[in-house]
């Protein structure tokens, strides 16, 4: 076991609560459709809080809960698909905010799987002896990329942040399993800024053209909003969390039935239920907060961990599988002792 246990957690959710009823005021939908298809009743949306602010508050709370001196944090990892700045990175902004002055800091770009990817990187830096403590902060203002005229996506997402400090002293990591499927990436896409400069003449030199191929699925991909083939993502998600969970349990020699908590990316209640059925475990072992926060992308798992810490489920010695999936496509899981 790598001694990279969860020493402290923190989270931040904006105050603005948007109910399904509120959603039905802006797009043609209903509370009944949203709850039946997704399990979501309400979500939190930023009332102007930038991503770095939410991340810094969650990070300060996690550091306080861990009792670790910020100056002994050797690495700050941040995950976000919705930063405030192209640079500096979210990780560097949070580093400055929390006073982790002896750390190096960088962002991990793995969409909704970001937290699991970052935790894996953290555990490997700790195992190598290069650093002792790592701060992981996941913060998302996914509302910035949401088209509130598209009922198939706007009802899903919520904003928020979660953070953890990992290191020696409590629990640790038994196994991890990370995978990406870049060839399947066209099912969940959000475009960045286009190329634009005064010397752009549009001639190009690529006979094949410059399209990524994503335009084949989404011909109208010319703004900065999320495009998703929901059904394809749904099928991928269930397959991904089941495969990853089985893989980490097999590697650690621990039966799936011995796992106390399944802390999975909160994208859709039906995905969690389908995963539970396929894994043969009860929903009582699944941590579920989708109902009140919607899909907060990479922040969803650390927010769940913080909720567990606050409601007493973060019991030392318990085993948990953390499993994420998202755009990329990216997915993966970690089996940890809390
Ligand atoms: O972290 C990112 C990962 N994302 C996910 O994990 C999302 C995975 N996918 C899903 O969760 C589901 O596919 C959705 C919740 C997005 C959609 O549920 P679905 O059961 O797959 O619905 P659908 O896309 O098959 O649409 C069924 C119908 C369509 O109408 P028609 O064509 O049958 O007339 C949609 O237009 O539901 C309609 N619809 C809606 N109706 C009312 C789509 N969105 C809405 C809505 N309200 N908000």
């Amino acid at each position: 076991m790598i001694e990279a246990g969860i020493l402290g957690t923190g989270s931040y959710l904006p105050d603005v609560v948007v109910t399904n009823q509120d959603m039905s005021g802006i797009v043609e939908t209903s509370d009944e459709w949203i709850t039946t298809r997704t399990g979501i009743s309400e979500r939190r949306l930023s009332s102007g809080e930038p991503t770095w602010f939410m991340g810094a508050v969650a990070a300060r709370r996690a550091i306080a809960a861990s009792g670790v001196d910020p100056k002994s944090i050797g690495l700050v990892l941040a995950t976000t698909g919705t930063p405030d700045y192209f640079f500096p990175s979210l990780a560097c902004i949070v580093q400055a905010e929390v006073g982790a002055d002896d750390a190096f800091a960088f962002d991990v770009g793995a969409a909704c799987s970001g937290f699991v990817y970052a935790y894996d990187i953290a555990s490997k830096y700790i195992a190598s002896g290069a650093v002792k403590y790592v701060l992981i902060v996941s913060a998302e203002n996914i509302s910035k990329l949401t088209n509130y005229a598209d009922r198939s996506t706007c009802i899903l997402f919520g904003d928020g942040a979660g953070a953890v400090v990992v290191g020696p002293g409590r629990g640790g990591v038994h196994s991890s399993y990370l995978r990406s499927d870049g060839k399947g990436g066209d099912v969940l896409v959000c475009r960045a800024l286009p190329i634009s400069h005064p010397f752009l003449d549009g001639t190009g030199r690529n006979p094949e053209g410059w399209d990524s191929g994503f335009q084949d699925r989404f011909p109208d991909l010319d703004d900065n909003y999320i495009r998703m083939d929901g059904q394809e993502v749904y099928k991928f998600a269930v397959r991904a969390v089941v495969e990853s969970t089985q893989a980490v349990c097999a590697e650690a020699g621990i039966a799936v039935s011995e796992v106390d908590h399944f802390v999975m990316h909160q994208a859709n209640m039906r995905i969690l239920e389908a995963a539970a059925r396929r894994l043969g475990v009860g929903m009582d072992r699944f941590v579920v907060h989708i109902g009140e926060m919607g899909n907060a992308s990479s922040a969803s798992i650390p927010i769940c961990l913080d909720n567990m810490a606050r409601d007493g489920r973060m019991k030392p010695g318990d085993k948990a599988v953390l499993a994420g999936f998202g755009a990329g496509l990216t997915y993966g899981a970690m089996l940890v002792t809390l």
Side-chain angles (χ1 to χ4, degrees):
M1 184 173 79
I2 301 174
E3 283 202 60
I6 297 167
L7 306 180
T9 63
S11 64
Y12 175 90
L13 291 179
D15 287 339
V16 175
V17 177
V18 176
T19 64
N20 292 347
Q21 189 66 32
D22 297 328
M23 280 291 166
S24 66
I26 61 166
V27 285
E28 199 182 327
T29 190
S30 64
D31 177 48
E32 201 263 332
W33 193 96
I34 301 172
T35 46
T36 317
R37 303 278 182 136
T38 71
I40 299 167
S41 302
E42 58 189 39
R43 69 288 291 145
R44 300 295 186 98
L45 296 188
S46 171
S47 51
E49 298 99 319
T51 306
W52 69 262
F53 174 84
M54 297 197 291
V57 174
R60 272 191 220 104
R61 289 174 178 164
I63 293 168
S66 72
V68 168
D69 177 354
K71 299 211 168 21
S72 54
I73 292 170
L75 171 58
V76 177
L77 294 173
T79 77
T80 185
T82 52
D84 309 295
Y85 302 95
F86 288 124
F87 46 82
S89 65
L90 173 62
C92 284
I93 299 174
V94 172
Q95 175 200 13
E97 287 292 318
V98 303
D101 299 336
D102 287 332
F104 68 109
F106 65 96
D107 288 2
V108 177
C112 301
S113 309
F115 179 79
V116 175
Y117 272 48
Y119 194 171
D120 182 64
I121 294 167
S123 72
K124 280 162 184 158
Y125 267 103
I126 289 168
S128 77
V131 302
K132 188 169 181 190
Y133 299 111
V134 181
L135 168 67
I136 306 171
V137 52
S138 303
E140 303 281 4
N141 260 318
I142 198 107
S143 55
K144 291 199 289 189
L145 306 181
T146 303
N147 179 357
Y148 286 94
D150 175 6
R151 67 177 182 172
S152 69
T153 54
C154 73
I155 50 102
L156 297 172
F157 297 104
D159 300 329
V164 300
V165 175
V166 298
R170 172 188 164 153
V173 175
H174 296 276
S175 53
S176 63
Y177 176 88
L178 301 186
R179 288 291 181 278
S180 307
D181 171 17
K183 288 187 177 150
D186 64 336
V187 296
L188 182 49
V189 180
C190 185
R191 197 173 180 147
L193 293 182
I195 295 161
S196 167
H197 59 73
F199 306 101
L200 194 64
D201 64 9
T203 52
R205 279 191 291 273
N206 179 6
E208 311 275 313
W210 302 107
D211 270 1
S212 54
F214 300 153
Q215 288 82 355
D216 294 345
R217 192 179 290 268
F218 300 112
D220 66 339
L221 189 60
D222 54 6
D223 53 30
N224 310 115
Y225 290 133
I226 296 166
R227 299 292 197 299
M228 182 172 70
D229 182 332
Q231 293 199 358
E232 286 303 317
V233 176
Y234 184 97
K235 284 186 266 177
F236 150 71
V238 176
R239 206 171 54 236
V241 291
V242 171
E243 174 190 320
S244 316
T245 301
Q246 288 169 337
V248 286
C249 289
E251 191 191 329
I254 291 168
V256 173
S257 59
E258 290 175 74
V259 175
D260 302 290
H261 310 282
F262 295 88
V263 190
M264 297 187 171
H265 174 43
Q266 310 278 300
N268 186 325
M269 184 67 180
R270 289 193 298 142
I271 293 174
L272 301 177
E273 287 168 347
R277 271 195 307 277
R278 291 203 197 170
L279 291 167
V281 293
M283 276 307 287
D284 54 323
R285 292 201 223 170
F286 274 63
V287 177
V288 180
H289 289 291
I290 177 99
E292 66 272 16
M293 70 181 197
N295 178 347
S297 189
S298 72
S300 73
I301 293 177
I303 292 172
C304 284
L305 291 171
D306 189 45
N307 285 339
M308 289 173 72
R310 283 185 288 116
D311 68 19
R313 275 179 296 171
M314 183 78 85
K315 292 205 197 77
D318 274 9
K319 292 197 171 38
V321 166
L322 318 180
F325 58 88
L329 297 165
T330 55
Y331 60 106
M334 304 191 67
L335 176 58
V336 300
T337 287
L338 298 175

